[in-house]
Amino acid sequence: MDPFMQAAIDEARLGREEGGIPIGSVLVHQGRIIGRGHNRRVQQGSAILHGEMDALENAGRQPARVYQESVIYTTLSPCPMCSGAIALYGIPKVVVGENQTFLGEEDWLRARGVEVQVLQEPSCVHLMRDFIAAEPGLWNEDIGEP
């Protein structure tokens, strides 16, 4: 398995162990992880700390060129909020673990010139299916559903 996707999966598992939602992400620049994160909405009482947002936050403030030379890995298809951040900073490529349990804004990203690669990684699918079955209310809250 790609070591960067494995790092994102490790983040997702950590998030679940903490009582949160198992979605992880890493931001990679020139072959090195510069930011890693996981969905911490529950843990931090946050409205916005999805996995991708946490990875971007943990990467710290970067010059525009760094984002434009980076790849973001995420275990789940990015939602509208995370897709907006990816587009805003000009991140040219997103590697998605899976989009079977949730299809985010992949077409929107592609329409803006972002390369989206979907792996359909079984461990990502299992993580989300198990979580959604166990915590449907929390999942709906995370994606803005009643």
Side-chain angles (χ1 to χ4, degrees), residues 23-37:
I23 303 168
S25 183
V26 295
L27 182 65
V28 177
H29 179 252
Q30 297 181 347
R32 184 175 65 85
I33 295 173
I34 62 169
R36 59 178 64 232

Side-chain angles (χ1 to χ4, degrees), residues 31-53:
R32 184 175 65 85
I33 295 173
I34 62 169
R36 59 178 64 232
H38 52 273
N39 187 307
R40 293 189 307 139
R41 289 185 64 253
V42 172
Q43 300 91 312
Q44 298 295 317
S46 171
I48 62 167
L49 277 181
H50 281 189
E52 299 91 334
M53 302 298 278

Side-chain angles (χ1 to χ4, degrees), residues 80-146:
M81 176 178 63
C82 297
S83 295
I86 290 164
L88 175 68
Y89 290 110
I91 298 170
K93 183 175 180 179
V94 181
V95 180
V96 176
E98 66 101 353
N99 65 6
Q100 294 176 22
T101 60
F102 177 80
L103 179 59
E105 297 299 321
E106 294 173 19
D107 288 340
W108 185 87
L109 285 165
R110 286 183 184 105
R112 280 147 187 80
V114 177
E115 179 185 349
V116 179
Q117 179 184 0
V118 181
L119 303 178
Q120 301 302 11
E121 172 58 44
S123 59
C124 294
V125 175
H126 294 301
L127 271 171
M128 285 310 299
R129 283 196 178 140
D130 292 348
F131 169 74
I132 293 167
E135 302 271 2
L138 185 54
W139 171 240
N140 286 337
E141 175 190 320
D142 195 62
I143 59 172
E145 295 289 328

